[in-house]
Amino acid sequence: MNKNILITGGAGFIGSHVVRLMVNKYPQYKIINLDALTYAGNLENLKDIESAPNYNFEHVNILELDMLINVFEQHDITDVIHLAAESHVDRSILSPMDFIYTNIVGTINLLTVAKNYWSTDLNNHRFHHVSTDEVYGTLGAEGFFTESTAYAPNSPYSASKASSDHFVRAYGETFHIPYVITNCSNNYGPNHFPEKLIPLFINNIIHKKPLPVYGKGENTRDWLYVIDHARAIDLVFHEGNNGEHYNVGGFNEWKNIDLVKLLCKLMDEKLQRTAGESEKLITYVKDRPGHDLRYAIDASKINKELGWEPTVTFEEGLSATIDWYLQNEEWLNHVTSGAYQNYYTEQYDNR
Ligand code: NAD
Ligand code: TYD
């Protein structure tokens, strides 16, 4: 069946991989990438597919209701995959309101426009909301997040994502919008904006700058290669059951400090530096307020019901990611000029 799929946030990190997968895999679908091009959005991420006949770009902010209505009408949108968001925890601590507007109000705008536009025939549509495992809060040393774990968000970012998840559910229950929600663990890979741990540290190692590890580096994250996340979104979008959540994770937990040491080792090898040189850049800095200790996903539901599992090992994925950053110096220089410097100073100076 032909579909006209609106993908929001398609110029960002994960969104660009989802757009690429859908454009290449489904030539019969029309893909409409809608993105406000904030600091995190970059059309350079999509250069290889920008002239594909089934690809369209709309420079629109999800806070602009009238513009959203136009896009739905102009492209006769049949489905939504919603990734547009403010996505960085540290920025949500510096400036929470941006997260309330985009993540909560923006999601409600999209739901409202979809509900009205699809009202005559709700059954043949789908609203896929892309969310995070951070809505579940933090784990101690044991256990995993399942789809029935109670929401307990601890940062303004995760609280805004939890709220948006609740609104998607509410629009499903109240207005019968057919929806699915995926809650994924930490992603890594090419095109990741260098404010998050892995790309920030790769960039700093390249430039021999300090590597600011928060607290004691004991916090643990479950890392998934971004292309495996895009594959999971494709699968749940097409085959997931309406009104259900699917947790997506890498079965790949790393303490931050162990991950940073591995990154230093790999980069010393690739940059032909003396073994141990980059580790000397590690600097322990003041902890993030409300820093979640551990995230770990139980991805057995998506595995058993839809047959999804990660295909890229952490060793392969991390090596490919480092190679991508080393080969895309121009991309890195573009995104780290200008406003990035102001953010960096505000976030890390005097820490
Ligand atoms: P990102 O910050 O790299 O990209 C976000 C994109 O959304 C950017 O292109 C930006 O321009 C766009 N955007 C922001 N505000 C907008 C607005 N008001 N209107 C239209 N576009 C807007 O984020 P990401 O890491 O690719 O994350 C994508 C989604 O996946 C988010 O919803 C995030 O919560 C979720 N997620 C991320 C991770 C992760 O590890 N990065 C893990 C699980 C879930
Ligand atoms: P991040 O990539 O921001 O993802 P999230 O907070 O959504 O999990 O951070 C991953 C982990 O790395 C988290 O425990 C915080 C830590 N971290 C640092 O120690 N130093 C840094 O400069 C950053 C950005 C993160």
Side-chain angles (χ1 to χ4, degrees):
M1 193 191 135
N2 282 347
K3 295 177 188 291
N4 301 329
I5 307 176
L6 182 72
I7 301 183
T8 69
F13 166 47
I14 302 170
S16 62
H17 289 278
V18 174
V19 166
R20 177 175 299 101
L21 183 152
M22 299 300 258
V23 163
N24 288 334
K25 185 169 172 187
Y26 302 104
Q28 73 276 28
Y29 293 171
K30 182 169 156 189
I31 303 299
I32 299 94
N33 170 16
L34 181 149
D35 200 297
L37 299 180
T38 68
Y39 78 92
N42 185 351
L43 290 176
E44 279 181 79
N45 293 344
L46 290 165
K47 269 199 163 129
D48 55 320
I49 55 103
E50 68 187 2
S51 49
N54 62 340
Y55 173 73
N56 303 262
F57 175 66
E58 293 287 354
H59 187 189
V60 169
N61 192 312
I62 54 172
L63 293 171
E64 298 168 316
L65 197 59
D66 290 348
M67 300 288 279
L68 285 183
I69 295 170
N70 283 346
V71 169
F72 269 69
E73 286 174 352
Q74 191 192 330
H75 296 283
D76 188 22
I77 297 301
T78 58
D79 299 83
V80 173
I81 303 178
H82 177 36
L83 296 107
E86 289 291 338
S87 67
H88 188 35
V89 173
D90 291 326
R91 285 186 193 255
S92 81
I93 296 167
L94 293 172
S95 178
M97 281 316 275
D98 297 339
F99 290 69
I100 309 309
Y101 289 126
T102 285
N103 298 1
I104 306 177
V105 180
T107 300
I108 298 169
N109 278 347
L110 265 178
L111 286 164
T112 306
V113 176
K115 166 179 94 69
N116 293 340
Y117 191 71
W118 298 338
S119 60
T120 49
D121 173 28
L122 272 173
N123 290 335
N124 288 323
H125 303 285
R126 172 151 274 184
F127 191 102
H128 182 149
H129 181 57
V130 177
S131 191
T132 164
D133 61 353
E134 303 192 25
V135 297
Y136 298 122
T138 188
L139 293 163
E142 302 286 316
F144 296 90
F145 297 134
T146 71
E147 286 79 2
S148 54
T149 301
Y151 276 28
N154 292 318
S155 72
Y157 164 66
S158 54
S160 68
K161 290 296 291 187
S163 175
S164 66
D165 292 11
H166 290 323
F167 273 100
V168 174
R169 176 193 157 88
Y171 271 63
E173 293 294 321
T174 307
F175 304 114
H176 311 294
I177 285 221
Y179 75 91
V180 282
I181 300 179
T182 41
N183 295 87
C184 189
S185 65
N186 287 60
N187 285 214
Y188 70 99
N191 310 94
H192 205 180
F193 193 81
E195 61 184 355
K196 310 277 170 67
L197 179 74
I198 290 180
L200 180 89
F201 279 33
I202 290 175
N203 187 39
N204 285 13
I205 291 171
I206 293 173
H207 295 101
K208 301 189 179 178
K209 282 175 63 177
L211 305 176
V213 172
Y214 297 161
K216 294 184 178 147
E218 297 283 312
N219 306 68
T220 299
R221 298 292 182 263
D222 172 1
W223 294 95
L224 178 69
Y225 196 56
V226 63
I227 288 170
D228 278 325
H229 186 192
R231 287 177 47 252
I233 290 172
D234 175 23
L235 199 60
V236 173
F237 173 75
H238 284 99
E239 294 178 30
N241 291 323
N242 273 336
E244 293 196 16
H245 285 249
Y246 293 84
N247 282 356
V248 184
F251 304 100
N252 179 41
E253 286 184 53
W254 284 82
K255 266 193 183 142
N256 289 342
I257 190 62
D258 296 336
L259 168 54
V260 170
K261 286 183 177 168
L262 174 63
L263 198 58
C264 289
K265 179 174 164 291
L266 289 173
M267 288 204 58
D268 281 345
E269 286 165 15
K270 288 182 191 281
L271 291 166
Q272 297 178 327
R273 292 184 183 164
T274 317
E277 192 179 329
S278 297
E279 256 198 55
K280 291 189 193 137
L281 299 169
I282 292 175
T283 313
Y284 292 92
V285 299
K286 203 168 105 203
D287 209 353
R288 172 188 278 173
H291 196 172
D292 287 334
L293 178 66
R294 176 173 165 257
Y295 303 145
I297 280 278
D298 175 349
S300 49
K301 176 177 172 178
I302 188 172
N303 175 253
K304 287 202 184 94
E305 291 187 13
L306 303 180
W308 176 90
E309 59 183 5
T311 58
V312 179
T313 66
F314 195 50
E315 290 67 26
E316 289 164 354
L318 201 55
S319 175
T321 303
I322 297 168
D323 290 344
W324 187 87
Y325 282 91
L326 293 177
Q327 287 155 14
N328 288 274
E329 216 182 320
E330 202 184 330
W331 182 95
L332 205 45
N333 289 341
H334 279 176
V335 302
T336 53
S337 60
Y340 180 83
Q341 300 300 334
N342 300 337
Y343 165 74
Y344 204 92
T345 305
E346 190 173 2
Q347 177 64 19
Y348 292 104
D349 278 11
N350 308 317
R351 192 164 185 130

